[in-house]
């Protein structure tokens, strides 16, 4: 190894300055090419990871879109906390729905009440679905007279 080093030094001393510059430049370019090659490999790996992440995100958005086609606006309620009993009761009172009984059990709300027309009940149900994310589990409607409708409804998340 020592002999090889000595031969290299003597050969290097015999070259003129133009050849030395050319050898140094080509060595620097080779070293720079190796660095760029390594950086390109790591860049491609990061690009593949980014493409995989974007593909997963696109798949999630497709699932949300299909769910939203079946249950419009419902998916956003899974990101929020469940509604409070007081909020639902106040909402029903705003629609002039007199609540006879209100029970909550295992994220299921059982509401018995009276309403004067069916349109008020459907508007309240629509707002509970879109605004609070509640879905009707069971609905029973009884007509007492022309002006009174008694209902029993179970909402769930």
């Amino acid at each position: 190894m020592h002999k090889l080093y000595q031969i290299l030094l003597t050969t290097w001393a015999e070259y003129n300055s133009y050849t030395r510059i050319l050898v140094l430049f080509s060595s620097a370019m080779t070293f720079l090419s190796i660095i760029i090659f390594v950086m390109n490999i790591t860049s491609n790996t990061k690009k593949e990871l980014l493409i995989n992440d974007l593909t997963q995100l696109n798949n999630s958005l497709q699932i949300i879109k299909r769910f939203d086609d079946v249950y419009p606006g419902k998916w956003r309620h899974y990101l929020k906390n469940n509604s409070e009993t007081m909020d639902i009761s106040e909402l029903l009172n705003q629609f002039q729905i007199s609540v006879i009984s209100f029970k909550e059990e295992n994220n299921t709300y059982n509401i018995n009440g009276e309403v004067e027309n069916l349109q008020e009940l459907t508007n309240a149900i629509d707002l509970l679905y879109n605004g609070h994310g509640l879905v009707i589990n069971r609905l029973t409607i009884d007509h007492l007279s022309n002006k009174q409708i008694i209902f029993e409804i179970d909402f769930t998340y």
Side-chain angles (χ1 to χ4, degrees):
M1 185 80 172
H2 184 63
K3 271 187 164 184
L4 186 62
Y5 183 68
Q6 289 297 329
I7 292 173
L8 182 65
L9 282 179
T10 54
T11 308
W12 182 256
E14 290 175 2
Y15 288 146
N16 62 14
S17 58
Y18 177 72
T19 307
R20 287 183 191 168
I21 291 173
L22 194 60
V23 169
L24 286 176
F25 181 73
S26 64
S27 299
M29 292 305 288
T30 304
F31 183 69
L32 186 63
S33 297
I34 291 171
I35 290 174
I36 289 174
F37 179 72
V38 169
M39 290 178 67
N40 191 18
I41 289 174
T42 58
S43 173
N44 285 340
T45 304
K46 289 180 182 179
K47 187 187 294 184
E48 287 174 9
L49 289 174
L50 181 63
I51 289 172
N52 288 340
D53 288 344
L54 288 174
T55 303
Q56 288 177 351
L57 180 64
N58 191 25
N59 290 341
S60 297
L61 290 173
Q62 291 294 331
I63 290 169
I64 289 173
K65 183 184 179 307
R66 283 191 304 236
F67 185 82
D68 199 42
D69 288 343
V70 176
Y71 304 106
K74 179 70 175 156
W75 64 269
R76 69 176 173 263
H77 299 290
Y78 288 103
L79 304 176
K80 297 191 288 187
N81 294 333
N82 292 351
S83 295
E84 304 248 342
T85 305
M86 204 64 182
D87 295 339
I88 296 169
S89 182
E90 286 177 10
L91 181 94
L92 292 173
N93 287 334
Q94 287 176 358
F95 278 94
Q96 280 106 32
I97 296 173
S98 59
V99 176
I100 297 169
S101 72
F102 192 101
K103 298 177 208 166
E104 177 188 355
E105 209 174 280
N106 296 331
N107 284 337
T108 300
Y109 299 98
N110 179 279
I111 303 166
N112 290 320
E114 294 180 8
V115 67
E116 289 186 12
N117 66 26
L118 204 53
Q119 184 65 36
E120 292 174 1
L121 181 61
T122 56
N123 288 341
I125 290 171
D126 187 44
L127 189 60
L128 285 172
Y129 173 76
N130 289 322
H132 294 276
L134 295 171
V135 177
I136 297 174
N137 193 19
R138 184 177 59 87
L139 174 64
T140 307
I141 298 175
D142 290 327
H143 289 280
L144 279 184
S145 64
N146 289 341
K147 291 200 173 192
Q148 288 292 53
I149 298 172
I150 295 180
F151 66 90
E152 182 178 352
I153 189 166
D154 287 343
F155 286 108
T156 188
Y157 276 97

